[in-house]
Amino acid sequence: MTNEDAKIQIDKLRKVLSGHNYSYYVMAMPSISDFEFDTLLKQLQELEAQYPEFYSADSPTQKVGGAINKSFENIAHTYPMLSLGNTYNEEDLRDFDERVKKGLGTDDYEYVCELKFDGLSISLHYEGGKLLRAVTRGDGVSGDVVTDNVRTIKSLSTELHGDFPNAFEMRGEIFMHRKAFERLNKQREEAGEMQYANPRNVAAGTLKLQDSAEVAKRPLDIYLYQLIESGNVFKTHSESLEAAKSWGLKTSEHSNVCADIDAVLNFIRHWDSERHHLSYDIDGVVLKVNDFRQREELGFTAKVPRWAISFKFKTEAALTKLNKITYQVGRTGAITPVANLDPVFLLGTTVKRASLHNANEIQRLDVREGDYVYVEKGGEIIPKITGVDLSKRDPDSKPHQYITNCPECGAELVRKEGEANHYCPNDEGCEPQVVGKIQHFSGRRAMDIDSIGDETVQTLFENGLVNNIADLYDLQYDQIIKLDRMAETSAQNLLKGIEDSKKMPFAKVLFGLGIRYVGETVAKKLAQHFRNINAIAAASLDELTAVDEIGERIALSVTDYFAELKHVEMVNRLQENGLQLESTTEVVKRDSELLAGKIVVISGTFHKHSRDDIGKMIEANGGKQGSSVSGKTDLLVAGDNMGPAKLEKANKLGIKIISED
């Protein structure tokens, strides 16, 4: 294939895939199967790797991320991202309407009503139909440039079609659907990490992650609701949104033009009820004067526009009795206090329990057994206690004393300095920890032993057949056939599933060990870097933290794990049973030792080689790839669009900067 043929094929695939992306994520009308889409995407990835000179940041392949940004550039907004005035009642809305009428000197105007998404505000700048940059709201005057992360949002069009202005700004909200949030929390629970409180916090935190490949793994979505351009192309807000949609940008289907304030109030009442049926959280409705000329006439106060206001729904809350505080033990030994409540109906579900998170939260709320407490759900997935009705408190009540011993095994709890949670240290004798670790190990995201469900693990433990994950590989047919409800076929399937799991790759086994803070991604990085379990077990803190994205907290957890003789013995048993405890992926062949002992950081975009290729070159010549510029950095390979903060730091530290060539 000639370069010209390759360019034609690449452009064709990009156009086709972008069209399918739009149909699926924006129009919610899939035009091909997932398999067909993935096949086309793989073809494009292979061509782009073969012909890196045709790289484009707007290619559908870039939705998977890969850029690393240790410091986000902060820039001023062209137009400040002002807050809106808030109101919680109809009377205030009617007062707002009277001010609009008086300001315009007429009642000939209309409003556009839009849902107020509970997410993170973003400003997108397009030039020539392509996404130039994405900037967070920040303090309203300036924000952080998070373009690489925003590009990974599958419902966002980075390349437009149709008759669009050459340069314009589009503002919107980035958020996460509830189901996606629940899946993410489930994954964090399995990795022994604290769960997030609500989707908004996740969306905000995700945008500030340093690795856009990690951002791509979190299913963020976006709605765009405000066009800003200098050409006065459109007369009304509603007209501009229709145009933006025709260019491929995702706008909400639930906005509505309202002729007067009564129509606005009807819209608000409708969504105050219907919001519970949406797949995402909203916390109110925004109303804006539709006509742009009338907006100019009304102008701004020092803080807010006079032509728009936000009506916020009241958070749904209830007062109920807290009967008892109990404690749960997770597989990592983390202790979670739980408030057991008189049942109360909130947002379509009956709430009987609410997490109190840790001892600090109990102390902050001064919550006690027998108190009447305020429980809220609002935008929260997990019900939370927000306060106590002190007027109903029993005069003889005493502050709650946090437990000092594990509720399951009686071991004395420990609490590390700087951590909020208490932990049970008896990881080999505390039933929820033992069972939880085996369930985690055999689960789909680790060893994927289909024939072993949570109940089977519990049964095996209760019958004294397993006390740690290595025991699974010693199970015999004669032992398990005697168990209740265990037929011959079930027993054979269980043993076959265990045998088949020996083929699972090293990274899966490492994740399955359940080392605290070592989730799937960390396990992959460690397996790729050290290549076998013995090297990881022998690694020092410095060697561990030298691995991309491995911080001190993770490194300490790994060294602590392998410092325990019982863990080393268990891993040895897994090795003896034939599990994959060594990476089988291709080792980079050394071409020279020119970069031996040197740490090289790659930053920016390149034309002749991909970042992965440059990374392989570094390793092939004896060097190590660093993730951020620091005093340990020896070389910086600088490409286009490199962050100025990184460049400034490199110059300040006297680090040698070299080009792609």
Side-chain angles (χ1 to χ4, degrees):
M1 185 183 292
T2 66
N3 276 28
E4 188 177 342
D5 291 337
K7 179 73 165 63
I8 292 170
Q9 185 65 12
I10 286 171
D11 288 344
K12 181 181 176 182
L13 282 168
R14 284 174 179 168
K15 187 174 182 180
V16 169
L17 286 164
S18 294
H20 290 314
N21 260 338
Y22 179 76
S23 297
Y24 187 93
Y25 291 105
V26 181
M27 302 305 293
M29 293 171 59
S31 45
I32 58 172
S33 70
D34 288 351
F35 176 77
E36 290 171 309
F37 184 90
D38 290 341
T39 302
L40 292 172
L41 188 65
K42 188 176 180 182
Q43 289 177 21
L44 178 58
Q45 286 172 324
E46 289 171 352
L47 278 171
E48 288 181 342
Q50 195 175 348
Y51 298 93
E53 61 267 34
F54 301 129
Y55 167 84
S56 170
D58 298 307
S59 173
T61 59
Q62 299 307 301
K63 293 289 182 185
V64 299
I68 303 294
N69 196 342
K70 284 290 185 180
S71 58
F72 294 96
E73 181 187 2
N74 190 275
I75 67 169
H77 294 297
T78 310
Y79 302 95
M81 294 184 75
L82 299 175
S83 301
L84 296 179
N86 289 327
T87 178
Y88 293 85
N89 59 70
E90 294 186 5
E91 185 179 344
D92 285 348
L93 279 184
R94 291 192 181 277
D95 288 344
F96 169 79
D97 181 55
E98 285 299 320
R99 292 196 298 273
V100 169
K101 187 184 296 182
K102 185 176 179 181
L104 294 175
T106 178
D107 56 7
D108 184 18
Y109 55 89
E110 59 188 9
Y111 295 109
V112 173
C113 286
E114 299 166 343
L115 304 184
K116 188 175 183 297
F117 309 105
D118 194 14
L120 183 81
S121 297
I122 197 78
S123 166
L124 307 177
H125 295 258
Y126 285 85
E127 278 191 14
K130 294 186 177 183
L131 179 65
L132 180 67
R133 64 179 172 273
V135 188
T136 63
R137 182 181 182 277
D139 60 5
V141 177
S142 64
D144 291 330
V145 179
V146 290
T147 315
D148 290 328
N149 287 348
V150 169
R151 284 185 188 280
T152 67
I153 300 174
K154 293 182 174 63
S155 57
L156 174 67
S157 297
T158 56
E159 194 163 9
L160 308 181
H161 51 76
D163 186 19
F164 44 78
N166 181 57
F168 65 92
E169 180 182 350
M170 201 80 196
R171 291 180 176 177
E173 199 87 358
I174 292 173
F175 63 95
M176 184 177 281
H177 294 270
R178 293 194 202 100
K179 290 290 185 186
F181 170 77
E182 289 165 7
R183 287 196 301 272
L184 180 62
N185 255 354
K186 181 69 175 173
Q187 291 167 8
R188 289 182 68 81
E189 182 184 6
E190 290 173 358
E193 298 171 342
M194 291 291 290
Q195 295 187 49
Y196 292 115
N198 56 60
R200 188 195 183 284
N201 289 1
V202 181
T206 298
L207 268 199
K208 297 309 288 287
L209 290 176
Q210 294 164 345
D211 185 349
S212 61
E214 290 303 308
V215 178
K217 294 175 186 176
R218 298 191 183 182
L220 296 177
D221 206 341
I222 190 169
Y223 275 128
L224 299 166
Y225 52 68
Q226 182 71 46
L227 172 72
I228 301 173
E229 52 85 30
S230 57
N232 298 319
V233 176
F234 305 102
K235 292 182 179 179
T236 65
H237 178 65
S238 55
E239 184 186 344
S240 71
L241 291 182
E242 282 298 317
K245 186 176 181 181
S246 74
W247 306 332
L249 294 168
K250 187 176 181 182
T251 59
S252 172
E253 68 272 31
H254 298 308
S255 63
N256 195 46
V257 177
C258 296
D260 53 35
I261 196 65
D262 289 322
V264 168
L265 293 171
N266 287 334
F267 182 90
I268 288 171
R269 292 178 193 124
H270 171 78
W271 283 107
D272 194 7
S273 167
E274 287 298 309
R275 60 185 162 126
H276 310 310
H277 299 132
L278 293 168
S279 64
Y280 48 84
D281 292 327
I282 63 170
D283 57 4
V285 167
V286 174
L287 58 147
K288 308 170 181 174
V289 171
N290 193 20
D291 188 282
F292 287 139
R293 183 188 56 79
Q294 290 179 331
R295 288 187 184 185
E296 287 182 20
E297 199 172 332
L298 289 165
F300 298 81
T301 68
K303 294 183 178 179
V304 298
R306 291 192 177 97
W307 43 264
I309 196 169
S310 165
F311 180 92
K312 299 196 79 172
F313 298 133
K314 291 177 181 174
T315 303
E316 191 158 333
L319 188 69
T320 190
K321 187 178 181 182
L322 192 166
N323 295 309
K324 191 171 182 61
I325 296 174
T326 55
Y327 296 85
Q328 291 180 337
V329 185
R331 70 168 175 84
T332 62
I335 307 296
T336 303
V338 177
N340 295 269
L341 311 164
D342 276 351
V344 60
F345 195 72
L346 275 176
L347 289 178
T349 59
T350 300
V351 175
K352 297 178 182 178
R353 290 151 60 88
S355 171
L356 284 165
H357 301 292
N358 50 55
N360 291 350
E361 185 69 0
I362 291 175
Q363 186 177 17
R364 184 183 72 81
L365 292 167
D366 185 25
V367 65
R368 309 176 185 185
E369 292 182 343
D371 275 348
Y372 280 82
V373 295
Y374 294 100
V375 184
E376 285 188 4
K377 218 173 171 192
E380 311 289 325
I381 298 297
I382 304 167
K384 67 175 183 179
I385 292 173
T386 57
V388 178
D389 186 344
L390 296 176
S391 69
K392 294 181 179 291
R393 174 172 282 174
D394 185 333
D396 296 327
S397 80
K398 291 181 173 56
H400 181 76
Q401 296 297 313
Y402 203 87
I403 59 171
T404 56
N405 295 82
C406 175
E408 296 286 343
C409 69
E412 187 174 348
L413 301 181
V414 296
R415 189 184 195 184
K416 292 184 179 179
E417 187 178 350
E419 292 197 1
N421 282 70
H422 288 74
Y423 286 86
C424 169
N426 183 23
D427 62 334
E428 283 201 324
C430 185
E431 180 174 334
Q433 293 189 67
V434 174
V435 172
K437 283 178 170 61
I438 301 171
Q439 289 170 340
H440 167 74
F441 179 81
S442 58
R444 180 180 58 81
R445 292 171 53 235
M447 303 304 285
D448 195 18
I449 307 176
D450 282 339
S451 47
I452 300 186
D454 288 354
E455 289 184 13
T456 303
V457 173
Q458 187 71 45
T459 301
L460 291 169
F461 173 81
E462 289 173 354
N463 283 270
L465 297 180
V466 294
N467 279 291
N468 65 45
I469 58 179
D471 290 340
L472 290 170
Y473 297 91
D474 294 334
L475 288 172
Q476 302 294 320
Y477 177 83
D478 291 344
Q479 293 175 306
I480 58 178
I481 193 64
K482 298 173 185 176
L483 300 175
D484 289 343
R485 293 177 293 181
M486 183 64 73
E488 183 179 344
T489 303
S490 301
Q492 289 172 344
N493 287 341
L494 190 151
L495 290 171
K496 183 179 184 301
I498 292 171
E499 186 64 28
D500 289 346
S501 73
K502 294 178 182 180
K503 300 172 187 173
M504 295 300 283
F506 175 35
K508 290 282 188 181
V509 184
L510 184 58
F511 170 60
L513 293 179
I515 303 170
R516 197 171 168 210
Y517 306 130
V518 178
E520 285 180 280
T521 302
V522 170
K524 286 177 185 174
K525 288 181 181 294
L526 289 172
Q528 185 178 16
H529 184 87
F530 289 101
R531 310 201 62 79
N532 66 71
I533 196 73
N534 295 329
I536 294 174
S540 67
L541 275 177
D542 286 344
E543 288 171 327
L544 286 163
T545 53
V547 181
D548 185 32
E549 295 297 301
I550 305 298
E552 188 176 342
R553 185 181 70 162
I554 296 172
L556 275 170
S557 181
V558 173
T559 54
D560 286 350
Y561 182 87
F562 287 105
E564 296 269 359
L565 180 61
K566 60 190 177 186
H567 294 148
V568 174
E569 290 174 345
M570 185 180 71
V571 168
N572 288 339
R573 286 177 62 197
L574 294 177
Q575 282 183 312
E576 290 165 6
N577 276 292
L579 273 74
Q580 301 296 317
L581 290 169
E582 187 169 345
S583 182
T584 56
T585 54
E586 180 187 353
V587 180
V588 177
K589 185 182 176 183
R590 287 282 179 95
D591 294 333
S592 79
E593 296 298 322
L594 282 171
L595 298 174
K598 295 190 182 297
I599 294 175
V600 187
V601 172
I602 308 167
S603 182
T605 56
F606 302 91
H607 302 286
K608 296 181 180 178
H609 308 280
S610 69
R611 289 171 69 109
D612 283 345
D613 286 342
I614 295 173
K616 287 175 183 175
M617 288 182 210
I618 292 166
E619 291 181 29
N621 289 279
K624 285 188 178 180
Q625 188 177 336
S627 59
S628 62
V629 174
S630 71
K632 296 179 181 179
T633 306
D634 296 291
L635 286 171
L636 174 64
V637 185
D640 295 341
N641 302 316
M642 179 185 165
K646 191 173 285 186
L647 183 61
E648 183 184 350
K649 189 172 183 181
N651 285 323
K652 188 175 180 181
L653 292 170
I655 294 165
K656 186 176 180 181
I657 300 170
I658 61 175
S659 70
E660 180 179 17
D661 292 333

